[in-house]
Amino acid sequence: MSIFRFPPLVWLGIGILIISLGIRQSFGIFMMPISDHFQTGREFFSFAIALQNLLFGVFQPFVGMASDKWGSKRIIMLGAVAYALGLALTSVATEPSMLYLSLGALVGFGLSATSYVIILGAVAKVVPAEHAAKAFGLTTAAGSFGMFAVIPGAQTLMHDFNWQFALQIFAMLCTLIITFALFMKTAKPSEKQTEEENTQTLTEALKEAFSNKSYWLIHAGFFVCGFHVMFIATHLPSYLADKDLPASSAAMALAYVGIFNIFGSYFWGVMGDKYSKRHVMSALYFVRTIVIGAFVTLPVTEHTAAIFGGAIGFCWLGTVPLTSGLVRQIFGAHYLSTLYGLVFFTHQVGSFLGAWAGGRIYDYYGSYEPIWWSTVVLAFCAALIHLPINDKPIQRLKLQTA
């Protein structure tokens, strides 16, 4: 199936992800101005972002269940309102503790309802299984395009105005998410699909997944992904500033992460359709091991920062189409938002630790070096974790298609 023949719902989902995840991935460049404004150390902002990611994950399974039951449109609209409110309240906060509610809880809930789990769950119901990883890869790439488009714009707004004004513009952008959601038509499964998949209850689907060893290995791998992504997105700008590089260098490095992930997400998704997803996942994490290891070993310059942004961007969120594709391949599409939502919760536990531990370790040691090397070790472990996964459809699906 050509990407141009994908249903309109896929393209509307892409529009939502460009805004939602583009804003989310820009938060790292707000660390220093917000920390300076409230006269706090970096751990304060790191913890607010860590709380956001943890709650993003806590809300995700419940939001996924709600989406599976009532459809994605209402959930996305509710999430967009919470997202906008959280950004607006952050921009007018007078006490740093307010950020735990606004940037932490409200934005965390907003992200859970407007990002990958909900959009991919909707896409899975309208795209054939044999093209799922490709569709997931294209949809995942949208979030990266948002990163490429939003971060330089946010840097410009902060330079010309201030960080408060930038967040207020972001809040207004969230109204576009509501507009896109209004045009989304909930997919109606075929009679055959309904007959086959609706015989299983949610409780049965959860028991089936929790008793499957491969499901827990998928959880473990996605934990590492979350740790990597949020540590780098939150702390790379500060790390480069510590190396006496200009703020524009950090913004450009993160923008390169975004643009190269556009190609990377689609590439890894296509590879997941052609080859064993577990082997492709292992290859992706081996690439991450080499890229991060090289970055922390070589001298840090504007050139190496840009190269690192592009290289890590190529394997940044390629894990999303592969992980969601594995869950769908093993357990089917009917409860994908729920089962992938639970996996995503584990991802966000990793995100919480990556964002918070980065600030904690820096404030304690005055250096990011220990945590950079821990990301190298975790990447290598994740590459090994995916090898024993059994990615064949479970017996229930084999019997239904027999």
Side-chain angles (χ1 to χ4, degrees), residues 5 23 38 69 76 81 93 100-101 105 112 144 181 208 266 335 351-352 357:
R5 295 178 62 187
I23 293 172
F38 289 110
K69 186 172 183 179
I76 291 170
V81 171
Y100 297 142
L101 170 64
S112 72
S144 304
E208 182 178 72
Y266 186 69
Y335 290 110
S351 295
F352 170 85

Side-chain angles (χ1 to χ4, degrees), residues 20 22 26 28 76 126 180 185 233 263 265 292 296 309 342 371 400:
S20 175
S26 73
I76 291 170
V126 298
F180 290 143
K185 293 183 179 179
F263 304 106
S265 295
I292 300 174
V296 296
L342 289 165
I371 197 164
Q400 288 173 356

Side-chain angles (χ1 to χ4, degrees), residues 27 141 240 270 312 371:
F27 289 143
L240 296 180
V270 170
I312 198 66
I371 197 164

Side-chain angles (χ1 to χ4, degrees), residues 288-329:
R288 276 198 192 180
T289 305
I290 294 169
V291 169
I292 300 174
F295 180 61
V296 296
T297 303
L298 297 172
V300 178
T301 67
E302 291 189 49
H303 295 300
T304 58
I307 292 169
F308 172 72
I312 198 66
F314 189 73
C315 53
W316 185 251
L317 293 179
T319 55
V320 173
L322 294 172
T323 302
S324 54
L326 273 173
V327 175
R328 184 209 167 122
Q329 182 173 306

Side-chain angles (χ1 to χ4, degrees), residues 228 289 372-382:
H228 283 164
T289 305
W372 271 117
W373 283 109
S374 73
T375 64
V376 176
V377 173
L378 285 172
F380 184 73
C381 291

Side-chain angles (χ1 to χ4, degrees), residues 40-57:
T40 59
R42 293 181 190 178
E43 186 184 359
F44 153 72
F45 184 83
S46 298
F47 186 78
I49 295 298
L51 181 64
Q52 174 196 108
N53 282 277
L54 182 64
L55 293 176
F56 183 177

Side-chain angles (χ1 to χ4, degrees), residues 143-171:
S144 304
F145 178 77
M147 185 178 186
F148 172 73
V150 170
I151 290 176
Q155 188 69 53
T156 300
L157 287 171
M158 288 198 298
H159 180 268
D160 293 345
F161 300 95
N162 52 47
W163 64 268
Q164 292 95 334
F165 183 76
L167 290 179
Q168 289 162 10
I169 294 296
F170 284 174

Side-chain angles (χ1 to χ4, degrees), residues 68 120-127 187-189 193 328 333-334 336-337:
D68 282 335
L120 295 181
V123 169
K125 294 178 173 64
V126 298
V127 174
K188 295 181 179 179
Q193 184 186 36
R328 184 209 167 122
H334 188 61
L336 178 64
S337 290

